[in-house]
Amino acid sequence: MAGALKSPKPLQSLQQLELAPLVLRGRLALARAGVLPCLAALLLLAGVASWLWLLPQRTAVQQQLAQPLPPVAALVAPPPAPSANQNLADFYAVLGPQRYAEQQVKVLFDLAAKNGLVLNQGEYKTARDAASGVTTYQIILPVKGGYQAIWQFAMQALRDMPFAALDEVAFRRESIAEPVVEARLRLTLYLKDGGA
């Protein structure tokens, strides 16, 4: 019985003896091969491991791409472009009435006063295009006030009169320290014949 108890020790030493030559052979093979082939083998093993790790994710992406696209009817088509006649009708609908041109000048003077601007006198010139039936009413307004107030006046005039165009703005100041700016605004009102 005593012999039976001693048998595991030789088995352990047998495993150590068999493992030691294998480790030694591996170290010698690595030393003979050099650093470059060993590094290449290590990179090859890392690449294979990465490919095996990414394979399930690639399969999931392929399954998602294999699903059918939504029907074309689900996509929203842009509205058709307006016709030339519709564009012309829209143009004439925006024009202001010619018979109220003087009242529009009064609106400009009221807006200037609301913005704290000094507006003494303006120049007015009318022109008519017989072919289109459009009358232009050009107004040149010399104003004095703060820079911000002048821009607020100009933008408010364009909002209140959608048929107006701001053609030119010129600023002048006596000195840099002067808070009052002199400006010259040239507006054109586009008007149509008729009342409404």
Side-chain angles (χ1 to χ4, degrees):
M1 282 198 145
L5 289 174
K6 289 184 181 180
S7 63
K9 275 188 179 179
L11 238 180
Q12 264 183 340
S13 61
L14 184 64
Q15 287 175 350
Q16 285 178 346
L17 288 177
E18 290 177 9
L19 187 60
L22 286 175
V23 171
L24 182 60
R25 281 186 201 155
R27 289 178 68 188
L28 288 173
L30 287 174
R32 269 187 248 134
V35 176
L36 204 53
C38 292
L39 186 60
L42 185 64
L43 288 175
L44 179 66
L45 285 173
V48 168
S50 299
W51 182 77
L52 289 174
W53 181 68
L54 291 173
L55 188 62
Q57 295 174 1
R58 183 173 181 240
T59 306
V61 169
Q62 285 178 338
Q63 288 174 351
Q64 188 178 13
L65 289 175
Q67 293 177 355
L69 293 174
V72 176
L75 301 175
V76 178
S83 67
N85 289 337
Q86 182 62 44
N87 282 337
L88 189 61
D90 291 344
F91 170 75
Y92 280 110
V94 174
L95 297 178
Q98 182 182 354
R99 71 179 185 174
Y100 297 121
E102 290 79 20
Q103 290 178 354
Q104 299 303 333
V105 173
K106 184 181 180 319
V107 168
L108 289 173
F109 274 83
D110 291 343
L111 286 173
K114 283 182 188 175
N115 284 289
L117 300 176
V118 176
L119 181 62
N120 293 329
Q121 184 178 5
E123 298 174 28
Y124 314 100
K125 184 169 86 173
T126 304
R128 183 165 186 339
D129 182 16
S132 66
V134 174
T135 300
T136 58
Y137 198 72
Q138 193 174 74
I139 306 165
I140 298 174
L141 299 173
V143 294
K144 287 184 182 179
Y147 181 80
Q148 184 67 30
I150 292 170
W151 277 116
Q152 286 176 347
F153 161 69
M155 294 301 113
Q156 186 65 44
L158 294 176
R159 274 193 297 272
D160 288 358
M161 295 181 286
F163 48 87
L166 181 60
D167 299 325
E168 180 184 353
V169 179
F171 291 99
R172 195 178 127 226
R173 187 183 300 212
E174 293 298 322
S175 71
I176 293 176
E178 182 71 32
V180 176
V181 178
E182 293 180 29
R184 181 177 169 268
L185 287 90
R186 184 165 49 100
L187 294 146
T188 302
L189 305 181
Y190 292 91
L191 310 168
K192 63 184 170 187
D193 295 335

